[in-house]
Amino acid sequence: MRNRLAGLIRPETGRCLMLAVDHGYFQGPTTGLERPGEAIELLAEYADSLMLTRGVLRNVVDPQRRVPIVLRVSGGTSILRDDLSNEDLTVSMEDALRLNASCLAISIFVGSASERTSLTNLAKLCDRGQKYGVPILAVTAVGREMARDARYLSLACRIAAELGAQVVKTYYCEEFEKVVNSCPVPVVIAGGKKIEERAAIELAYRAISAGAVGVDMGRNIFQSKWPVSMIRTVRSIVHEGKSDAEAWELFQELKG
Ligand code: 5RP
């Protein structure tokens, strides 16, 4: 378990940069990931780990690429339906181990109609993870009707940790320190919808300053006009301690 976690959160800095390219599991051919292999080829060398599905891993990732895998193992819904929260486990532990996953990711939907199922699925997955030494990343998914504030996100993150998740992924919000400080396991942030590069850089900086161990960012990297510059800039915040102003300067240079 600790060895797998070290592939995710780099022991040298205690931080992590995950590249999230799992969006197709419910969104289909997401903008920027129409050909996921191309995005992965371009960006993987700058990421500490890749978060993706087994279909993408098997079909488009070169097995000789030595990058830790955070395998998405929940799903079963699509953007065509209203209830995105109605997920189930979609990958067996045997297949995840065969694919050499370093971590398994599952969404939880606290406050939704499927709250109980998603939380008990998390607990079951944590039991299996304990058995085989595989860490579990709980993704605190936020439905349209759910607030993205510190109160709600603290609740969701804390429940995920209490049920056994080794790492929690959530969204950045005002008073993010409260979310991190009340969660006994490392917290990473998702980037969320594509925003201006400067705003995404600030978001990453604020999250790290507030105590996040890293970012699991997708759209704000692969949907940028300058994806390599973006991932390298975010990396400088996560691993080199650059401020948002320094990182913005770096982005301008790299983009140039
Ligand atoms: C989808 C996910 C994504 O991996 C997550 O949202 C991170 O990507 P982005 O930075 O694009 O939000 O978990 O449910």
Side-chain angles (χ1 to χ4, degrees):
M1 174 82 76
R2 284 173 58 193
N3 178 267
R4 286 192 172 100
L5 271 172
L8 234 62
I9 301 172
R10 288 180 54 161
E12 305 92 301
T13 60
R15 299 256 176 87
C16 66
L17 171 52
M18 301 181 194
L19 176 65
V21 287
D22 62 322
H23 306 61
Y25 89 94
F26 72 103
Q27 292 189 355
T30 308
T31 305
L33 289 182
E34 293 87 350
R35 299 174 69 81
E38 289 175 9
I40 290 168
E41 270 307 303
L42 189 66
L43 299 167
E45 69 181 281
Y46 306 105
D48 298 323
S49 61
L50 296 179
M51 178 173 175
L52 39 59
T53 59
R54 66 175 163 188
V56 166
L57 179 60
R58 279 194 191 130
N59 292 297
V60 305
V61 179
D62 181 352
Q64 295 195 26
R65 186 179 276 290
R66 294 164 67 91
V67 62
I69 296 299
V70 179
L71 191 67
R72 159 69 64 180
V73 299
S74 71
T77 58
S78 85
I79 42 168
L80 294 183
R81 308 267 304 192
D82 278 343
D83 190 10
L84 280 177
S85 66
N86 193 19
E87 288 192 355
D88 215 330
L89 289 170
T90 51
V91 182
S92 67
M93 183 55 85
E94 288 73 15
D95 204 30
L97 290 173
R98 198 184 66 78
L99 291 164
N100 199 23
S102 293
C103 180
L104 307 186
I106 174 175
S107 291
I108 58 166
F109 300 86
V110 173
S112 78
S114 304
E115 173 183 279
R116 186 171 186 283
T117 311
S118 70
L119 292 178
T120 50
N121 280 340
L122 167 63
K124 284 179 205 152
L125 191 63
C126 289
D127 277 341
R128 290 174 208 159
Q130 282 301 130
K131 186 168 174 190
Y132 295 101
V134 182
I136 307 303
L137 169 72
V139 178
T140 64
V142 178
R144 272 183 219 114
E145 68 284 6
M146 293 171 223
R148 283 191 194 193
D149 58 20
R151 188 163 167 265
Y152 172 76
L153 296 176
S154 300
L155 175 82
C157 290
R158 179 60 177 265
I159 290 173
E162 299 258 356
L163 291 180
Q166 277 75 23
V167 186
V168 174
K169 167 166 137 172
T170 193
Y171 290 94
Y172 179 76
C173 61
E174 291 299 316
E175 301 185 292
F176 192 67
E177 295 83 358
K178 284 190 183 167
V179 179
V180 174
N181 292 338
S182 58
C183 183
V185 301
V187 176
V188 299
I189 60 141
K193 280 191 184 146
K194 173 78 179 69
I195 50 180
E196 290 296 316
E197 279 73 12
R198 175 106 205 205
I201 288 166
E202 264 174 37
L203 178 86
Y205 171 71
R206 284 195 196 165
I208 296 294
S209 305
V213 298
V215 302
D216 183 11
M217 202 175 252
R219 288 164 288 180
N220 278 292
I221 293 173
F222 63 72
Q223 289 180 350
S224 170
K225 261 169 77 181
W226 306 276
V228 172
S229 306
M230 262 314 270
I231 195 167
R232 290 182 63 185
T233 300
V234 173
R235 188 172 184 84
S236 77
I237 296 170
V238 171
H239 285 305
E240 293 163 31
K242 283 211 193 305
S243 69
D244 51 343
E246 290 167 336
W248 178 244
E249 212 172 292
L250 174 68
F251 177 71
Q252 302 291 345
E253 272 171 37
L254 292 171
K255 191 178 116 178

